[in-house]
Amino acid sequence: IKLGIPKPQDLRKKQAVAAAGQSQLMRMYEDLFGTIPIQVAQLLLSQGDVSQKEHWSNVKVTIMECLALGVVPIINENDSTNTAELSFGDNDNLAALTAVQLEADALCLFTDVSCVYTANPRTNPDAKPLFVVPEPWALKVETKDAGSGLGTGGMSTKILAARTASVSGIPCLLINSSFPRRVFALLDYVPKEDPEAQLPEEATYFMAMDAAQTVHDTRRWILSLPVSGQVELDNGAAKALGSKKSLLPAGVKEVQGSFLRSEVLRICHEGNEIARGIINFSSEELSKIMGHSSHRFEDLLGFSCCTEACYRNNIILTTSAESL
């Protein structure tokens, strides 16, 4: 907008335009908050800032210190230097990860519709609104809209962000950005578990998942890390995770992707994600020992190793324990 050119497609041009736009954006925030008056600060983040736990903790400390000083932190992705490998992907994901990191009371996502629909209401006349989503991790709706074209992401990214917040025990509100005052009537609202329940204002309320496990710093950090691969579990292993136990290689049925030790995996059962965890084996090693008991590991790998594929403290459930 500042340069008066269309949204670029070339990565280098995108980065240059982002650099030019950052100062304009902060000037707008300075002017708007100056009418209250409240001071603002700018934090530009990349995926690299959360991939190392120490850096991740430093970001949290900086944000909390800003708030303690009465300064509102404006958090954005550092688009001027980020590449695809270091990108959060969209602002909805960045907002959700920030909420999880800060243990926020709630996450509010603003969009160009008033609520989530079962399908795109602009193209499907049978689309029905969803006002309360009791189980965001199990929500399946049609999300083929591509967004406005001015930002990043569409409705699908907002649903994913709501799921990220929900599994950390944080409720999420989706509100039409044309009516920002609606948020005031919803801040203290406690919804019923009914998708058709009426809210004080038109919006969608994604309920927080009941904590089946303590969501400590490590588990919140795991949610912020990029996923490097995927494993499919048998019924016994899935139930063990729901009972707060570690993941054993014996319960792994399939290994997908190429990953190294200490990377984060998507853990699935019957094709659906149920958890994420930090893996203790590479994809090559895990493929050799999956389905086997621990007494065979040394023979199969040629060296002694731990018995767990993922320690229980390095696993965070992304679905309800009762569903496993």
Side-chain angles (χ1 to χ4, degrees):
I1 296 175
K2 176 181 178 180
L3 301 179
I5 61 175
K7 185 176 181 179
Q9 301 301 317
D10 174 74
L11 174 61
R12 300 306 178 193
K13 190 172 290 185
K14 282 183 178 180
Q15 292 175 327
V17 169
Q22 283 169 2
S23 59
Q24 176 80 1
L25 181 64
M26 284 310 299
R27 180 177 177 179
M28 292 171 63
Y29 276 118
E30 291 274 5
D31 291 344
L32 290 170
F33 277 90
T35 63
I36 302 180
I38 291 179
Q39 297 294 323
V40 297
Q42 182 183 41
L43 278 82
L44 297 176
L45 305 179
S46 71
Q47 186 72 58
D49 291 315
V50 299
S51 61
Q52 297 183 43
K53 195 173 182 182
E54 183 179 354
H55 289 188
W56 187 83
S57 298
N58 288 341
V59 171
K60 178 179 179 179
V61 170
T62 299
I63 294 172
M64 297 305 293
E65 285 298 322
C66 284
L67 295 175
L69 292 170
V71 177
V72 174
I74 308 299
I75 304 168
N76 264 305
E77 187 163 2
N78 194 353
D79 294 322
S80 62
T81 58
N82 279 357
T83 60
E85 292 77 14
L86 294 176
S87 173
F88 291 98
D90 56 82
N91 285 331
D92 301 315
N93 183 40
L94 177 56
L97 295 178
T98 302
V100 169
Q101 183 185 46
L102 299 179
E103 302 176 64
D105 295 324
L107 170 66
C108 296
L109 300 174
F110 291 89
T111 185
D112 57 356
V113 294
S114 293
C115 56
V116 174
Y117 288 81
T118 55
N120 190 338
R122 296 188 180 95
T123 58
N124 189 336
D126 296 324
K128 296 181 179 180
L130 298 174
F131 299 114
V132 176
V133 181
E135 299 179 343
W137 56 91
L139 179 64
K140 294 182 179 179
V141 296
E142 181 184 332
T143 55
K144 293 182 179 178
D145 58 309
S148 66
L150 295 176
T152 55
M155 185 55 69
S156 61
T157 68
K158 288 173 174 55
I159 292 175
L160 289 173
R163 288 172 177 165
T164 298
S166 175
V167 300
S168 297
I170 300 171
C172 178
L173 286 165
L174 186 138
I175 301 173
N176 192 321
S177 58
S178 298
F179 306 97
R181 289 185 175 274
R182 289 178 178 176
V183 71
F184 294 116
L186 294 162
L187 287 177
D188 298 321
Y189 178 69
V190 179
K192 301 176 182 178
E193 294 190 11
D194 180 1
E196 298 183 0
Q198 292 299 311
L199 302 177
E201 294 282 357
E202 192 173 8
T204 294
Y205 190 105
F206 297 88
M207 297 181 67
M209 188 170 80
D210 292 334
Q213 54 187 189
T214 303
V215 186
H216 50 62
D217 272 352
T218 296
R219 290 191 172 122
R220 285 194 295 273
W221 177 56
I222 288 171
L223 282 177
S224 72
L225 296 174
V227 174
S228 300
Q230 181 172 309
V231 291
E232 180 72 23
L233 308 187
D234 61 24
N235 293 337
K239 289 180 180 178
L241 261 60
S243 299
K244 305 179 184 178
K245 296 181 180 179
S246 297
L247 173 60
L248 302 180
V252 177
K253 295 169 55 180
E254 183 182 357
V255 176
Q256 298 179 19
S258 177
F259 50 85
L260 302 175
R261 298 179 193 178
S262 301
E263 293 190 322
V264 171
L265 299 188
R266 183 177 289 109
I267 302 172
C268 300
H269 178 240
E270 297 181 347
N272 298 313
E273 181 183 322
I274 62 170
R276 293 189 187 182
I278 298 176
I279 190 68
N280 294 332
F281 299 94
S282 69
S283 53
E284 182 180 358
E285 293 165 347
L286 187 58
S287 296
K288 291 179 180 179
I289 62 175
M290 68 177 188
H292 294 286
S293 299
S294 57
H295 70 273
R296 294 205 58 201
F297 290 177
E298 187 168 356
D299 291 336
L300 293 168
L301 295 176
F303 56 87
S304 58
C305 59
C306 61
T307 59
E308 298 90 350
C310 295
Y311 298 122
R312 64 177 186 173
N313 286 340
N314 288 341
I315 296 172
I316 181 166
L317 295 178
T318 57
T319 188
S320 63
E322 294 76 15
S323 67
L324 301 176

